[in-house]
Amino acid sequence: MRPGKMAPAGGPGAVRGLWVPLAVLALARAALALTEQYPALSLLKQELHRQRQGPAGGCASAGEWAKQYSAECDSSFLHFHESDCDIGGSSTCESVLSFNTEKILSQAKLLAEQKRFPFATENDNTNEELAIAYVLIGNGLYDEAIRHFSTMLQEEPELVSAIYGRGIAYGKKGLHDMKNAELALFELSRVISLEPDHPEVFEQRAEILSPLGRISEALSDLTKAIQLQPSARLYRHRGTLYFISEDYATAHEDFQRSLELNKNQPIAMLYKGLTFFHRGLLKEAIESFKEALKQKADFIDAYKSLGQAYRELGNFDAATESFQKALLLNQNHVQTLQLKGMMLYHHGSLDEALKNFKRCLQLEPYNEVCQYMKGLSHVAMGQFYEGIKAQTKVMLNDPLPGQKASPEYLKVKYLREYSRYLHAHLDTPLTEYNIDIDLPGNFKDHWAKNLPFLIENYEEQPGLQPHIKDVLFQNFESYKPDVQELVCVADHLGSMMQYETPGFLPNKRIHRAMGLATLEVMQAVQRTWANSKVRMNGKTRLMQWRDMFDIAVKWRRIADPDQPVLWLDQMPARSLSRGFNNHINLIRGQVINMRYLEYFEKILHFIKDRILVYHGANNPKGLLEVREALEKVHKVEDLLPIMKFNSKTRDGFTVNTKVPSLKDQGKEYDGFTITITGDKVGNILFSVETQTTEERTQLYHAEIDALYKDLTAKGKILILSAELGEVDAVCNLILSLVYYFYNLMPLSRGSSVIAYSVIMGALMASGKEVSGKIPKGKLVDFEAMTAPGSEAFSKIARSWMNLKSISPSYKSLPSVSETFSTLRTMIEVLNTDSSHCLKKTIVVV
């Protein structure tokens, strides 16, 4: 606070003798009633913690940072004086119980003499009485302070410091009681009407408004305070509220202004980094987090945020190092344990992940995220008894009335039902059952759409059967040498599928699963071309294209049971008739999806072409004006003015891509839909969506059927004569078939890696091996979806695949389907450590 700015209030006629006995009585009552000293909490901290507390899947949680924020930042009222005892509470502070009246009076006297409280007057007696009430506030005696201020206001109704102090006391009593909040706001508003030029009062009112959800009013007050007297703290405070409101660009501007006024602010630098993080600007976020650490070397939240940014970038080693540094500073930092555990899970290091979740739960037994992830990790490793026990604990956390259910609570019942199903089928041959047929249609539909578990007439899966034991750890050395070789080859093949793009963390468990899928596809396709039949879903028959993909689906499912990998055409007819949407936000508000950034320009060119076609047909007179405007369009936001040219596109428009048929020349199928809506930069939705309807599915199936029939015929010829022309034709047919699969998007999850493992396996069956990595920034599914046709996609894919003749050693590998014929054996091989395998390490920068 700035004493020089305080306006005089109260007059020389105040009589000290009237108030001192009241103060003594107040202190006496307080000493009898008080059982503990209440720590003073910043209201902003409470708001941030309330709004952002809960599951922290990423840097989105601000509750923890708020604690650091309030600890470091001056509040407009929490530090209005320097008393012997820190208002925030300290182990070295004396309890109020040990305070005697004389000591508090002497403390107040010192405070009054130095006028170190808000709105001090020119009257020494009045100041001393005011100081007594402020000392009461400082020591958590809010009711006593309110009574003291009220007594003073009976004598002098417009004594500003007393009105202000009473407002503070009401606020600090607790905003959970709406009456306190209303009284606090009433008092502060009175102060503003009497003394409208004091920024600290506007800031104080903002600190009360924001926890009540009245963010726009709080922002208005902070803006007024800044107009009266800008400060680093005010800009930082307003930036924090913009951050809460998800207006990250405006928040960034405020944090930047705050830092210009005071460079040494690790909290503001952290938040500046978070505004970058939330907009997908990961490298800029990392630089800000590093700068915060230069200013404060022991800043746990900056290390934690740095770890999460590296994790999003896909840099596992750098993320691990940052999380580890945070835990070295505080081994009990729950949120770091939670985030590190989740990263380890998605890296495929389930044992290590479990250690973090267990430690998290020791410290915070009711942490839903850690409880859910503990259950998931156990199930993924085949430890179903422990897994379901942890899942059940999450299910017991029913949200309170009016409280939003956590994502974990919404997902856990699906996971428990799926876990029971998997456990029951641990030792059943994989060829004898089918998840897509066995699981109830409404269950699959709700699970894939992430809907609340409200399924009519649902019959639960049977509980765990005691005679079916959990999966035991399988030592890698216990496998025969040829199986060890099989696993090591699979690890290498799987690593070839890694996307080197922000947002894709290398997952060694997925690598192994999809590498084994690739080898199993290779072996199955070779058998098919040699006229052998396969056994699928309890029947022996010739393999169809769906069987080929089902091999990869089977491995992808078991690698991560958290994700529903389901065929959409096997959903209930009602759901499919309405269309099952695969939706991807490329830009939502200010948040850019960095995974797809490489494709923004390509999609933008397509949109511009479609706009010209549309205006040429519907508004030929305005075509020249539109064409000139489109020449200035270089990013998606630049399209907003173009939308105003036509009443039908004013609020947004959709553009549909077309997929040309190979089977019926000249015929086209619906690809994906691009949607742009919004009225200004920062309030825009740019998304792509694939709508899988029954009719569309049948059209694509007919195309894929024809290509698969041709592929099988040419594959059989290839087995007999390995002529170069035949190999080339087979390669193109494989890539064309998968081109239509990608555009159909027939699975609820995992389509991209599943299709790529089929490409690699089928090519290996033809005698060709993929030796090149997917280029940095490229996504195979988006390459297919944005290619003008199957030939163009084949050309693009072959340019990086660097196909070479397959090594003869693949022929000596054991059969994947016979070696791992049950879920139990599949889980065992995914769990086993094979660190001594000589394989290329995938590094994502």
Side-chain angles (χ1 to χ4, degrees), residues 141-327:
L141 305 175
Y142 307 129
D143 285 325
E144 307 307 328
I146 288 166
R147 277 194 281 272
H148 195 70
F149 283 130
S150 297
T151 303
M152 296 182 74
L153 287 165
Q154 284 174 1
E155 295 293 320
E156 193 170 350
E158 293 192 351
L159 183 57
V160 176
S161 187
I163 300 169
Y164 186 61
R166 192 161 66 174
I168 291 170
Y170 279 126
K172 290 168 74 63
K173 272 185 73 175
L175 300 185
H176 54 275
D177 185 340
M178 187 54 70
K179 186 179 177 183
N180 288 336
E182 288 171 354
L183 288 167
L185 290 174
F186 176 76
E187 301 289 28
L188 292 172
S189 297
R190 281 182 67 200
V191 174
I192 288 169
S193 67
L194 292 166
E195 297 286 348
D197 297 326
H198 290 269
E200 63 274 8
V201 189
F202 286 98
E203 184 182 11
Q204 177 57 61
R205 191 166 69 175
E207 287 205 359
I208 291 173
L209 286 165
S210 56
L212 302 176
R214 295 161 67 175
I215 302 296
S216 60
E217 294 172 74
L219 285 168
S220 178
D221 272 0
L222 288 170
T223 300
K224 180 64 177 174
I226 287 168
Q227 288 168 353
L228 288 168
Q229 188 168 342
S231 70
R233 187 188 72 231
L234 284 170
Y235 277 121
R236 184 179 57 208
H237 189 162
R238 190 175 70 174
T240 307
L241 291 190
Y242 278 125
F243 183 86
I244 288 170
S245 307
E246 298 185 7
D247 186 351
Y248 302 119
T250 309
H252 175 267
E253 290 173 12
D254 271 359
F255 292 129
Q256 187 59 41
R257 288 192 189 108
S258 181
L259 287 161
E260 286 165 7
L261 291 170
N262 179 4
K263 288 181 182 178
N264 189 28
Q265 292 187 86
I267 286 288
M269 188 59 73
L270 171 69
Y271 267 94
K272 179 183 170 183
L274 293 173
T275 64
F276 283 130
F277 180 94
H278 283 277
R279 287 180 288 162
L281 306 172
L282 298 174
K283 289 179 181 176
E284 291 86 345
I286 286 168
E287 288 308 309
S288 294
F289 297 148
K290 286 181 176 177
E291 189 60 39
L293 285 164
K294 284 181 188 175
Q295 295 181 11
K296 184 175 169 62
D298 61 347
F299 197 176
I300 292 176
D301 286 320
Y303 275 123
K304 178 195 68 184
S305 302
L306 186 62
Q308 192 65 357
Y310 277 128
R311 180 237 185 277
E312 286 299 313
L313 206 57
N315 191 331
F316 175 76
D317 291 336
T320 302
E321 184 183 350
S322 298
F323 285 139
Q324 205 52 42
K325 285 179 178 176
L327 291 171

Side-chain angles (χ1 to χ4, degrees), residues 551-766:
I551 292 168
V553 166
K554 167 187 73 177
W555 283 102
R556 177 63 183 80
R557 274 177 180 154
I558 206 61
D560 184 3
D562 190 38
Q563 298 180 347
V565 182
L566 302 162
W567 288 96
L568 299 183
D569 67 338
Q570 299 294 308
M571 293 290 179
R574 188 182 69 230
S575 175
L576 196 57
S577 65
R578 286 200 300 260
F580 202 103
N581 296 352
N582 273 302
H583 185 92
I584 300 168
N585 286 331
L586 303 179
I587 300 175
R588 184 183 66 84
Q590 298 172 6
V591 181
I592 299 169
N593 192 333
M594 297 300 286
R595 289 185 172 195
Y596 304 96
L597 198 57
E598 181 87 10
Y599 295 91
F600 280 22
E601 190 175 347
K602 197 172 183 179
I603 294 172
L604 189 59
H605 279 301
F606 176 78
I607 293 169
K608 288 161 75 171
D609 288 342
R610 300 307 302 168
I611 288 173
L612 286 174
V613 171
Y614 173 82
H615 279 277
N618 297 284
N619 183 22
K621 289 182 180 178
L623 186 59
L624 181 62
E625 188 182 3
V626 172
R627 192 186 299 276
E628 288 174 354
L630 284 171
E631 287 174 5
K632 298 172 185 173
V633 171
H634 302 294
K635 55 184 187 293
V636 176
E637 292 89 334
D638 297 341
L639 286 170
L640 293 174
I642 313 289
M643 287 156 56
K644 308 289 186 282
F645 278 103
N646 190 291
S647 60
K648 290 183 179 178
T649 63
R650 189 162 293 150
D651 299 321
F653 58 85
T654 59
V655 179
N656 297 308
T657 63
K658 295 295 179 182
V659 177
S661 169
L662 278 176
K663 182 170 68 75
D664 301 311
Q665 291 297 319
K667 191 174 180 181
E668 290 182 326
Y669 308 132
D670 288 333
F672 62 92
T673 301
I674 304 160
T675 302
I676 298 179
T677 59
D679 52 6
K680 63 180 185 294
V681 175
N683 183 29
I684 189 172
L685 178 65
F686 175 38
S687 63
V688 296
E689 185 174 83
T690 305
Q691 192 171 37
T692 306
T693 60
E694 191 171 5
E695 181 185 1
R696 182 177 179 273
T697 300
Q698 287 173 357
L699 291 169
Y700 274 89
H701 279 192
E703 193 79 30
I704 296 172
D705 283 338
L707 284 163
Y708 183 76
K709 186 178 179 181
D710 201 5
L711 174 63
T712 304
K714 283 192 166 51
K716 288 179 178 180
I717 295 169
L718 185 64
I719 292 277
L720 300 172
S721 69
E723 288 187 20
L724 192 61
E726 294 296 340
V727 174
D728 208 44
V730 166
C731 177
N732 284 332
L733 281 167
I734 292 166
L735 291 169
S736 294
L737 187 153
V738 175
Y739 165 79
Y740 288 103
F741 180 91
Y742 275 129
N743 277 284
L744 173 59
M745 294 293 281
L747 295 166
S748 58
R749 295 293 292 269
S751 292
S752 188
V753 73
I754 284 165
Y756 203 64
S757 63
V758 168
I759 289 174
M760 290 178 65
L763 285 171
M764 289 166 74
S766 75

